[in-house]
Every structure is written in structure tokens, then in C-alpha cells.
Amino acid sequence: MAEKFEDAMKKLEGIVERMEKGDMFLNESLKLFEEGVKLTRFCSQELQKAEKRVELLTKNIEGKLVAVPFEEETDEA
Amino acid sequence: MEFFQQKRPVLTVSQLTSMVKGTLEENFALVWVEGEVSNLRTPSSGHIYFTLKDENSQIRVVMFRGQGRFLKFRPEDGLHIILRGNITVYEARGEYQILADYIEPVGAGALQLAFEQLKEKLAKEGLFDKARKRSIPMVPKKVGIITSPTGAAIRDMLHILGRRFANLHILIYPVRVQGVEAPPEIVQGIRDMNTIPDLDAIIVGRGGGSIEDLWAFNDEGVARAIYNSRVPVISAVGHETDFTIADFVADLRAPTPSAAAELVVQNKVDLEERLETLYRRLCHIVKGELNLLHSHIRNLEGRLKTPKDRVNQLLQRLDDMTLRLNLSMRQKLEFTKRKLEREASLLGSLSPLAILNRGYSITTSLETGMVIKEIGAVKPGDRVGVRVTDGEMLCSIERLTGKGEAGLG
């Protein structure tokens, strides 16, 4: 699912609202439920996806950006 | 007249002017002058002309367009300024003037004025338009921070981010955040960060300080770099009450650096909660729907004969049918058997052996073994066998008599 988080979230909200109206046949609402579960899983994965990392950008001799782990300077106080 | 002519060498106007020019321009090659602006003119050439004065004196000032472009504010009549320049003499009119290359406003309201003027200018150009502001992705994964690597801002931000256990990839672009080097470094930082392909947002800022300390974020170049950034920019300068030009151009203004970090992470916690709520609602609906359906089915079940009953009924009927089938089969067999016996006894009565019992005999030719049914089959002298009920007699034919002829009888 090459989807953006924002779009998936919006779709999920739409599904929940539609289902809360409760005017559809069971197989239709089960289909929506299944899609809703898929979207929930996708969104939750997106939320967890990024890794925790802090890096400092510096430039090397050729002027290219290089990332090195950032060490926070300890307070003198 | 001749006397005067000998004693006092006479100069032409041009000669004198040239000498004055030489003296002035040599001795006043670099001056700093403070005064008040009046008679300001800015013709279409782009040069700026005005008179600088104090209580007792005044002097003409010109600033050519080339220098004027770099002014951080626009001179106005009545404004108190300090300028840097050199004296030049305009020979055609015999006037001297200052050729200025730098002007700064003086006094408490000076920076404020520069700020207001730049703000007005950029607003007119549309740099602050709400419509062009890009939204920060709901779930940023990679965020750039342009700030001092040793300042309070980065410490505060990392503190917040660490406390929240945010899954974030942070890239810090170290810059100076005050002084004359700050603006070009920040500009370069924004440009460099825009070369990182999957960067979701840039936070640019610094911790609190005096209005002068924050001045880099009121720089026109910085404002334009933020405007031209492909990646959405969050400004995070000073304290909540500080508003800089960068704040107006940025896609999102965070009141403080900590707030910028909160914005990026808090968002995520909110989203997680929202997602969970949505999921719970989703499950709730389906569960409710299924419960409803279940009770509906149970209700129908009560009103219907259950399939089990029906099956039992069918089974019973099947048993009954089987029983009846067996019975009728047996009857049929019995009937057939009796019929067979009857037929057999009938058959017995028809047997040739039974006829011999009643006095009939069967004659067979000894030559051919065939039963003789007519006289033509034999001739006198032939030997035949005559079978009676308890044996056979060997006989020879004496004479043959046809049915119409006399003889036998």
C-alpha cells in the first residue's frame, strides 16, 4: 500500500463514519470492516516506522554533507 | 592691478575645485557620520539622495543603487541614522557630499523600524501568504534542525524528543545563530537541507535572547531561503512573545524550540490515540451489528422447525419406508415362489414320462435314434425301440399300414 498516512487516516475516518450510519448489508459492512482493519494496521505501522537517531551534519572536503552521530555536550554546571 | 596680479597667483575655478576635491577626498576617505535624514529623494535611477543634518549644519548624501540594495531598512525623513562613506566633490556645482555605502538606524525604535519595513515589503511580495504555506506531514520521520549545536534550543528539543521516545531521525545542521555570519549560514543550511531527498520538515531556530540576538531571523535572505525551501519549515525562535520575520514566512511557527519538538512528537501521540479510538469504534460497530444479527437468528430459529427436527422426521420416514419396502419385497418373493411351484407341477403333468404312465409309448429308430412320428420314417425289417413306462422293448417292423388302409384296429 503505497499510501500516505494522511490519506489512510482520512479513509479510515470515512469508513467508521459510514459504518456508524448503519444502513448497509452485513457483507458490505464486513468488507468495510476488513478494509478498516487494514488501514489501522498501516497507520499504526507508519507511526512506528521511523527509527530514533540523532545525527550532526557536517561537510567533507568535497563540500558534501556527511552525517555523524550527535553527542550532546555535557553541561559544565 | 598689475601688483595684485604678481603677488597673488590666480587660479581658475576648475583648478581650485580640483584642489579642494583632492584635499577633501584624501582626508575624508572614510567617515562615520550621525545625523537626521531630511529632503529624501529616491528617483527612478534607484540612487538615494538626502540631506543629513543636526541642529547647526547639514551635508548632502548620496547612496548609489548598488549599495542601497543591501540596506536592511528604508531611510525616511526625520530618521536618526549613522552612515559610513567618503566625501566626494561634485565639480559641476562646486558642492561636496557624502557618498554613503552603509546606513543603519540609531536608537530604540531603529531595529523595530527595520523590522516593520521588511515585514511590510515581504508581505507585499506575498511571502507570508497563508495559501502558499505547506502542511507539515502528520507523521514526520526525518526532521532537520538548523540551529547552534551547543545552544539551549537544541538541548531543549532533544530533551523533549528523548522524553517522548519519538521514533524520529533527527539531522542537526550546525550554524551560528547570532552575529553577521549567522544569516548566510542559516541560508546555506536551508539550501543544503533541501538536497536531502526524504526530509519531512526543517526546524530553524534558536533560544531566547535580546532583539539584537534574534536579529538573524529578521534577515531578508533568511526569509527568502525559508520561502524558497521545498521542505516545509517550522520556525522556532526565542520565546513565545518574540515574533521574527522567519516566523511569518515559515510554514508553521512554533512559539519556542521546545514547542517545535512537541509539535512534531505530540502530534504523533495524538495520532496514535486517534487511531486507537477509530479502531475501537470500528470494532464496536461490527460487534454490535453481529450481536444484533445473532439475536435475530436465534429469534428466527425459535420460530422455525430446526433442521435437526426436520432431519429426524425425514429419518423416521425413511425407516418406515424401508420397513414397508422389505415387507413388500418378501411378499413379492413369496408370491413368485408359489407361482413357480404351481408352474413346476403343471410342467410335471406335461412330462412325456407321465404320459407313458397313462399307456402311451415312444418309438425310436435304432439306426438314427430319432423318435418315429409317421410310418414313412421306417420300412419293414427296420428295428426300433419302443419305450414304455418301466423299460424298452426291442422290436422289428413287420408291415406298414397307412391311416386309411385296413389292418390295425
Side-chain angles (χ1 to χ4, degrees):
Chain A
M1 219 182 321
E3 193 160 9
K4 268 173 73 182
F5 179 88
E6 279 87 335
D7 299 335
M9 197 77 174
K10 208 173 282 170
K11 238 191 234 172
L12 180 59
E13 279 167 337
I15 283 176
V16 171
E17 269 161 36
R18 249 183 85 194
M19 288 184 70
E20 275 175 342
K21 275 194 199 146
D23 56 354
M24 56 184 73
F25 291 111
L26 184 70
N27 62 347
E28 197 180 348
S29 78
L30 282 181
K31 224 162 86 189
L32 281 178
F33 173 69
E34 212 174 304
E35 203 188 333
V37 170
K38 259 187 218 158
L39 288 167
T40 306
R41 202 177 302 137
F42 169 77
C43 285
S44 145
Q45 275 168 359
E46 281 295 295
L47 280 172
Q48 302 305 325
K49 215 174 192 176
E51 53 182 327
K52 191 180 174 181
R53 202 171 357 144
V54 181
E55 289 176 316
L56 188 74
L57 287 173
T58 52
K59 281 189 178 176
N60 64 14
I61 307 161
E62 292 113 61
K64 278 196 180 139
L65 285 176
V66 190
V68 296
F70 178 70
E71 307 284 342
E72 218 177 325
E73 283 177 16
T74 44
D75 285 333
E76 308 90 81
Chain B
M1 286 295 277
E2 270 180 29
F3 172 80
F4 285 116
Q5 279 171 342
Q6 283 167 354
K7 288 275 180 183
R8 290 176 273 183
V10 176
L11 302 171
T12 63
V13 174
S14 295
Q15 282 172 331
L16 179 58
T17 305
S18 171
M19 286 165 71
V20 168
K21 181 180 164 78
T23 309
L24 285 182
E25 292 186 356
E26 199 174 306
N27 289 309
F28 299 97
L30 175 69
V31 287
W32 288 87
V33 198
E34 183 178 342
E36 191 189 308
V37 177
S38 67
N39 296 322
L40 181 89
R41 287 186 302 123
T42 50
S44 56
S45 62
H47 304 332
I48 301 167
Y49 301 94
F50 60 91
T51 303
L52 193 65
K53 62 175 190 183
D54 57 16
E55 294 81 31
N56 306 309
S57 310
Q58 59 180 48
I59 187 168
R60 287 176 186 278
V61 179
V62 60
M63 184 175 226
F64 292 141
R65 197 171 65 148
Q67 273 79 40
R69 270 192 316 185
F70 299 117
L71 280 185
K72 301 218 183 305
F73 74 108
R74 214 171 48 240
E76 284 172 4
D77 278 347
L79 195 67
H80 195 176
I81 61 162
I82 289 177
L83 62 76
R84 184 182 68 193
N86 56 293
I87 301 290
T88 63
V89 173
Y90 185 34
E91 287 160 290
R93 285 207 193 162
E95 288 173 357
Y96 67 95
Q97 61 188 8
I98 301 172
L99 181 61
D101 60 19
Y102 173 79
I103 303 175
E104 64 180 34
V106 179
L111 285 174
Q112 195 54 40
L113 178 79
F115 174 81
E116 292 300 337
Q117 287 179 347
L118 180 61
K119 190 178 148 196
E120 194 189 317
K121 176 181 164 190
L122 297 181
K124 257 186 211 160
E125 280 186 45
L127 264 70
F128 307 156
D129 284 359
K130 287 240 154 48
R132 68 156 288 278
K133 294 201 185 294
R134 290 144 303 184
S135 57
I136 312 295
M138 272 180 161
V139 194
K141 298 183 185 78
K142 204 170 188 179
V143 175
I145 301 179
I146 300 175
T147 192
S148 160
T150 54
I154 192 68
R155 210 172 49 230
D156 291 352
M157 284 192 269
L158 291 180
H159 179 66
I160 300 274
L161 297 172
R163 205 175 61 203
R164 299 279 185 181
F165 299 105
N167 297 328
L168 261 183
H169 186 177
I170 306 272
L171 290 167
I172 300 165
Y173 192 100
V175 292
R176 272 171 282 193
V177 289
Q178 63 193 68
V180 285
E181 303 93 344
E185 284 186 16
I186 295 169
V187 168
Q188 191 58 46
I190 294 171
R191 279 189 199 142
D192 283 345
M193 284 227 152
N194 268 281
T195 63
I196 301 168
D198 52 350
L199 200 65
D200 292 311
I202 298 172
I203 299 174
V204 56
R206 56 152 293 149
S210 68
I211 183 169
E212 287 85 2
D213 289 341
L214 306 185
W215 204 247
F217 296 91
N218 287 321
D219 181 85
E220 187 173 347
V222 170
R224 291 192 188 281
I226 292 174
Y227 180 79
N228 290 323
S229 174
R230 172 184 56 81
V231 182
V233 176
I234 303 171
S235 68
V237 184
H239 299 298
E240 221 166 323
T241 48
D242 299 321
F243 273 88
T244 63
I245 297 291
D247 289 325
F248 293 111
V249 197
D251 298 290
L252 185 66
R253 174 195 180 244
T256 63
S258 301
E262 294 268 8
L263 250 158
V264 166
V265 210
Q266 183 55 44
N267 218 0
K268 213 162 166 175
V269 175
D270 283 349
L271 283 173
E272 259 159 17
E273 268 164 30
R274 210 165 113 199
L275 191 65
E276 210 186 302
T277 308
L278 279 172
Y279 184 64
R280 232 180 290 135
R281 270 163 72 190
L282 195 68
C283 291
H284 184 75
I285 301 161
V286 171
K287 214 169 134 191
E289 218 164 290
L290 286 178
N291 276 343
L292 199 75
L293 199 75
H294 198 214
S295 67
H296 189 58
I297 287 174
R298 236 175 323 189
N299 179 272
L300 284 175
E301 202 178 40
R303 286 159 58 192
L304 263 179
K305 282 197 169 128
T306 69
K308 200 180 163 198
D309 280 356
R310 173 112 184 99
V311 167
N312 279 342
Q313 222 172 42
L314 283 173
L315 279 176
Q316 201 179 348
R317 200 165 144 211
L318 190 65
D319 283 347
D320 187 43
M321 295 290 266
T322 313
L323 199 72
R324 279 163 63 189
L325 187 69
N326 280 346
L327 201 67
S328 74
M329 278 301 278
R330 215 173 308 148
Q331 281 173 344
K332 177 118 177 118
L333 276 174
E334 198 69 29
F335 174 78
T336 312
K337 195 173 148 197
R338 243 175 272 144
K339 191 176 169 199
L340 201 64
E341 277 168 4
R342 255 196 338 261
E343 306 253 327
S345 84
L346 187 65
L347 202 62
S349 68
L350 290 176
S351 160
L353 300 175
I355 295 170
L356 296 183
N357 248 349
R358 300 212 303 269
Y360 295 94
S361 62
I362 300 163
T363 307
T364 48
S365 156
L366 286 184
E367 274 96 65
T368 62
M370 300 278 282
V371 174
I372 296 155
K373 296 178 194 158
E374 50 199 15
I375 51 172
V378 286
K379 54 188 191 296
D382 280 357
R383 288 149 64 89
V384 293
V386 177
R387 185 158 181 195
V388 290
T389 190
D390 58 346
E392 202 171 18
M393 299 172 296
L394 190 62
C395 309
S396 61
I397 306 291
E398 299 252 341
R399 187 165 57 102
L400 295 166
T401 314
K403 241 190 190 158
E405 298 166 46
L408 213 78

